[in-house]
Amino acid sequence: MKIGVISDTHGDYASWERAFNYLNDADLISRGNCDAFVDQMVLNIPIQSPYVFAVVENKRFLVQHGDQITESGIQDLISRYKLDYFITGHTHVPVLRKLDNCIIINPGSTSLSKRDDKINSIGIIEDDDVYVIDLETGDKLFEIKK
């Protein structure tokens, strides 16, 4: 299983092309709050709704953009749906952490990073390895093994 995680593209087609160099088979995309109808027209690829629950190879995923949820709300969803992965975005800063048996991943932004070093990033879930990579170099920024 390989799932690409992209967030907060803000319609930047060039950053989508860079991301798809790594993720031409991306299965899940977290819809950013500025990834609107106009972006959908420019990108010509499906952008998921802001709240998606999916089971892939017996792993439970919830995707939620992150602009309308609290930390306690995240914990509640993880517990309620017995999630393996909680995918979020919105902050433009990548995060990869474990809460109980769930991995929380925010891939950062492909085009408008708010990291101090301004590195744009994407996430990859590959078998039991989860990582966030630098969109320009492909270097791993963070990694967790399930």
Side-chain angles (χ1 to χ4, degrees):
M1 170 180 69
K2 180 177 180 181
I3 296 174
V5 184
I6 303 171
S7 182
D8 296 292
T9 63
H10 294 272
D12 180 7
Y13 186 75
S15 71
W16 274 96
E17 286 190 333
R18 284 191 299 277
F20 281 116
N21 286 332
Y22 302 100
L23 304 173
N24 60 9
D25 58 350
D27 296 309
L28 297 173
I29 299 172
S30 178
R31 178 180 178 263
N33 61 339
C34 290
D35 293 341
F37 177 73
V38 172
D39 297 321
Q40 177 69 68
M41 290 175 14
V42 171
L43 297 172
N44 197 27
I45 60 172
I47 297 176
Q48 302 255 357
S49 68
Y51 183 84
V52 175
F53 176 79
V55 178
V56 179
E57 294 188 6
N58 295 317
K59 302 290 184 186
R60 299 166 71 87
F61 292 82
L62 189 125
V63 181
Q64 205 279 341
H65 180 61
D67 58 327
Q68 297 178 356
I69 195 165
T70 63
E71 181 65 23
S72 64
I74 291 171
Q75 292 172 359
D76 178 55
L77 289 170
I78 289 170
S79 177
R80 183 183 321 158
Y81 296 110
K82 299 174 180 57
L83 298 175
D84 296 292
Y85 298 94
F86 183 88
I87 299 171
T88 188
H90 183 63
T91 64
H92 296 228
V93 177
V95 172
L96 189 57
R97 65 186 175 100
K98 208 166 186 180
L99 181 62
D100 299 324
N101 291 322
C102 181
I103 293 178
I104 298 171
I105 181 171
N106 178 336
S109 175
T110 58
S111 60
L112 295 169
S113 175
K114 290 187 180 178
R115 286 173 49 110
D116 290 338
D117 58 13
K118 301 299 181 204
I119 290 175
N120 293 316
S121 54
I122 59 174
I124 297 175
I125 301 168
E126 194 164 16
D127 299 319
D128 288 331
D129 195 13
V130 183
Y131 47 98
V132 173
I133 64 169
D134 180 325
L135 190 55
E136 299 301 320
T137 67
D139 293 340
K140 290 181 181 178
L141 302 173
F142 310 106
E143 182 174 18
I144 292 179
K145 298 217 185 250
K146 187 104 168 112

